[in-house]
């Protein structure tokens, strides 16, 4: 088996609408080692989320299409594997922390039921008691008392909702987490708590993380490598020190210049 968990080669993605065709990703190459944290940075519309949705095969049906390239995740060809295989991998091999916890959670289901839903799909052999114990464990793991599992999303703050989303993503111990701007809607203090939680979960579960953000400051202390994305392609990739202290591409310079001093 390759020492690469994720290998993306020459990926091109487009969105076909009644109005126009949008070329969202154009010939992107990316690889990820087991246990690595990659920061994927760039402005809104650069193609970061589209890249992540392509990996997990959740592009909008009938609109988003991979037109070229290959995606290999944990040895599986994601573009040619049967749908049953892809569905089995979502949650168990790769999970996504979506950008807005308000819309990622179902407002009419308790948070415990939403964690339980993932566990039932991937562990049908386990008893209800075993699944309930795992729900309690995940709640406590992300810093929320297990007794609150009977509550609904509207009863939690923004930061706590994001913790619930993280608990759902980690419930089946996947190898890869795609974190799509997990701190964007949160204040600075809560941002730091969520990033610290991700670092702790990475150590506990030996996670590989892709942290998607438009804020270079967010990835400064968490990413092993940083990839700068512009107009659907990666224009520069390197260690955090290389990107921050010796940027080579004009767009990277522009991103760094836009940060408050």
């Amino acid at each position: 088996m390759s020492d690469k968990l994720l290998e993306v080669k020459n990926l091109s993605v487009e969105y076909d609408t009644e109005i126009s065709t949008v070329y969202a990703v154009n010939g992107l190459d990316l690889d990820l080692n087991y246990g690595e944290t990659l920061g994927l940075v760039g402005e809104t519309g650069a193609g970061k989320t589209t890249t992540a949705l392509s990996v997990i095969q959740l592009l909008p049906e009938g609109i988003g299409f991979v037109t070229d390239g290959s995606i290999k995740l944990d040895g599986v060809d994601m573009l040619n594997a049967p749908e049953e295989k892809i569905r089995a991998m979502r949650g168990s091999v790769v999970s996504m922390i979506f950008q807005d916890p308000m819309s990622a959670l179902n407002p009419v289901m308790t948070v415990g039921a939403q964690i339980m839903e993932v566990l039932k799909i991937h562990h049908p052999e386990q008893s209800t008691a075993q699944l309930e114990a795992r729900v309690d464990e995940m709640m406590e793991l992300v810093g929320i008392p297990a007794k609150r599992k009977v509550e609904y999303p509207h009863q939690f703050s923004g930061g706590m909702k994001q913790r619930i989303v993280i608990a759902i993503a980690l419930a089946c111990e996947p190898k890869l987490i795609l974190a799509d701007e997990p701190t964007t809607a949160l204040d600075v203090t809560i941002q730091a708590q969520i990033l610290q939680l991700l670092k702790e979960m990475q150590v506990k579960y030996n996670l590989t993380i892709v942290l998607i953000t438009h804020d270079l400051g967010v990835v400064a202390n968490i990413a092993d490598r940083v990839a700068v994305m512009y107009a659907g392609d990666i224009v520069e990739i390197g260690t955090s020190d290389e990107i921050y202290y010796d940027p080579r591409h004009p767009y990277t310079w522009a991103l760094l210049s836009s940060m408050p001093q």
Side-chain angles (χ1 to χ4, degrees):
M1 180 181 291
S2 170
D3 59 349
K4 304 288 185 184
L5 173 59
L6 176 66
E7 295 177 273
V8 179
K9 295 182 179 178
N10 196 36
L11 179 67
S12 294
V13 182
E14 63 184 49
Y15 294 110
D16 293 331
T17 69
E18 295 178 355
I19 300 172
S20 65
T21 297
V22 177
Y23 301 97
V25 178
N26 304 294
L28 181 141
D29 292 317
L30 182 66
D31 60 64
L32 202 57
N33 298 314
Y34 286 88
E36 183 180 24
T37 298
L38 175 74
L40 189 58
V41 300
E43 64 187 316
T44 299
K48 306 183 302 296
T49 298
T50 296
T51 300
L53 291 175
S54 301
V55 170
I56 203 170
Q57 291 293 282
L58 285 179
L59 288 169
E61 190 172 352
I63 298 175
F65 303 95
V66 175
T67 57
D68 197 8
S70 64
I71 301 172
K72 186 172 287 188
L73 175 61
D74 200 31
V76 176
D77 182 351
M78 297 295 284
L79 299 182
N80 295 304
E83 178 62 23
E84 293 79 10
K85 177 66 174 177
I86 301 295
R87 285 174 62 87
M89 292 181 69
R90 294 189 194 118
S92 62
V93 177
V94 55
S95 287
M96 191 161 181
I97 300 171
F98 292 96
Q99 186 168 347
D100 181 10
M102 297 284 287
S103 57
L105 294 171
N106 188 330
V108 298
M109 288 177 67
T110 64
V111 296
Q114 294 185 60
I115 300 173
M116 174 75 82
E117 187 177 35
V118 181
L119 294 167
K120 280 183 176 178
I121 291 171
H122 291 285
H123 298 288
E125 77 285 353
Q126 293 189 0
S127 67
T128 301
Q130 288 175 307
L131 297 175
E132 288 284 359
R134 179 62 175 169
V135 171
D136 293 350
E137 180 187 352
M138 293 309 303
M139 293 280 289
E140 296 285 350
L141 197 63
V142 296
I144 300 176
K147 64 182 180 182
R148 296 197 64 183
K149 67 183 178 181
V150 297
E151 297 180 17
Y152 292 85
H154 72 270
Q155 295 173 277
F156 294 84
S157 68
M160 295 183 85
K161 285 190 187 78
Q162 193 62 283
R163 289 172 181 269
I164 295 295
V165 172
I166 292 172
I168 293 171
L170 294 177
C172 295
E173 300 185 21
K175 297 178 180 179
L176 174 63
I177 292 288
L178 304 170
D180 187 7
E181 304 204 24
T183 62
T184 296
L186 308 175
D187 63 55
V188 176
T189 304
I190 305 301
Q191 279 188 19
Q193 292 176 5
I194 295 299
L195 290 173
Q196 181 60 35
L197 176 61
L198 285 173
K199 289 170 74 173
E200 291 171 1
M201 295 301 101
Q202 181 176 35
V203 172
K204 182 175 178 64
Y205 291 112
N206 192 31
L207 289 173
T208 304
I209 298 175
V210 176
L211 181 60
I212 298 169
T213 181
H214 58 262
D215 185 351
L216 276 164
V218 167
V219 298
N221 296 319
I222 191 173
D224 300 308
R225 287 189 301 154
V226 177
V228 180
M229 197 164 181
Y230 175 67
D233 197 8
I234 291 174
V235 295
E236 186 167 2
I237 189 167
T239 65
S240 296
D241 284 348
E242 288 171 344
I243 296 298
Y244 283 87
Y245 298 111
D246 188 24
R248 303 299 175 90
H249 196 276
Y251 181 70
T252 309
W253 276 105
L255 275 182
L256 289 167
S257 299
S258 70
M259 293 173 60
Q261 297 300 314

